[in-house]
Amino acid sequence: MFSDQLLDAMNEQMKNEFLSGYLYLAMAGYFEHEDLPGIANWMRVQALEELTHGEKFFNFICEAGGRSDLRAIDAPQNDYASPLDCFVYSLNHEKFVTDRINNLMDMARDERNHAAQIFLQWFVTEQVEEEASFGLILKKLERIGDDGNGLLRLDEELAQRVFVPPTAAE
Ligand code: FEO
């Protein structure tokens, strides 16, 4: 089902998804330390979502007859200059992930691996959502600037986010 090259890239992307979870949990720790528990909650939920993304790759690799290869994850950045700096970093990270997913899709298409293309399509769509949600919060933070009350209102808003486990169909 997999060429050696595609399997290697799938395993690498599985690592990137788990790495994303680790990174966003580090960011949650930053916001907890900054006494912004609502933004920390948003990041905790994002971290949980990323773990489900990594698990999707794990499941697909196993189901498609590939050998899973769990790889080392580097320590994420724990400290940020400001909430804005943190969201600039996270949006750039999502753009990196989008680029990796697009490369994987190109590889699957070149190899005429249709099952991998269908699997990856979910991630192509998901990355549009991910970049949009990080980008929206980044824009709000830019508008907030040094307005402490604005930051507290954003914190209250982001406290509402709830983790929804994926259904079997997703
Ligand atoms: Fe699963 Fe946010 O990339």
Side-chain angles (χ1 to χ4, degrees), residues 9-22 24 46-63 68-71 73 97 101 104 119-120 122-123 126-127 130 163 166:
M10 288 289 219
N11 274 308
E12 189 63 16
Q13 188 55 30
M14 173 170 63
K15 183 198 79 176
N16 286 332
E17 299 293 345
F18 285 126
L19 175 156
S20 300
Y22 211 38
Y24 296 139
Q46 188 62 35
L48 289 173
E49 278 201 5
E50 299 296 353
L51 299 186
T52 70
H53 296 172
E55 190 183 20
K56 275 180 189 286
F57 273 93
F58 179 81
N59 289 342
F60 182 71
I61 289 166
C62 293
E63 281 169 17
S68 61
D69 180 25
L70 280 288
R71 298 175 179 177
I73 297 176
V97 172
I101 294 287
L104 259 178
F119 168 73
L120 290 166
W122 185 90
F123 284 90
E126 175 70 8
Q127 282 311 117
E130 299 263 276
F163 174 65

Side-chain angles (χ1 to χ4, degrees), residues 36-139:
L36 292 165
I39 309 180
N41 167 69
W42 194 94
M43 281 295 182
R44 283 172 189 265
V45 172
Q46 188 62 35
L48 289 173
E49 278 201 5
E50 299 296 353
L51 299 186
T52 70
H53 296 172
E55 190 183 20
K56 275 180 189 286
F57 273 93
F58 179 81
N59 289 342
F60 182 71
I61 289 166
C62 293
E63 281 169 17
R67 180 70 176 94
S68 61
D69 180 25
L70 280 288
R71 298 175 179 177
I73 297 176
D74 289 337
Q77 183 170 323
N78 283 288
D79 287 315
Y80 299 88
S82 65
L84 181 66
D85 176 53
C86 186
F87 271 85
V88 167
Y89 190 106
S90 57
L91 180 58
N92 283 337
H93 178 72
E94 285 302 322
K95 288 179 177 173
F96 160 78
V97 172
T98 300
D99 189 55
R100 303 319 301 163
I101 294 287
N102 288 341
N103 283 351
L104 259 178
M105 182 63 105
D106 288 346
M107 198 183 291
R109 199 180 51 220
D110 290 348
E111 294 187 8
R112 302 190 71 247
N113 188 325
H114 297 152
Q117 288 175 66
I118 291 166
F119 168 73
L120 290 166
Q121 186 60 53
W122 185 90
F123 284 90
V124 171
T125 307
E126 175 70 8
Q127 282 311 117
V128 175
E129 277 179 33
E130 299 263 276
E131 286 194 29
S133 60
F134 279 93
L136 183 62
I137 296 170
L138 176 55
K139 281 204 185 85

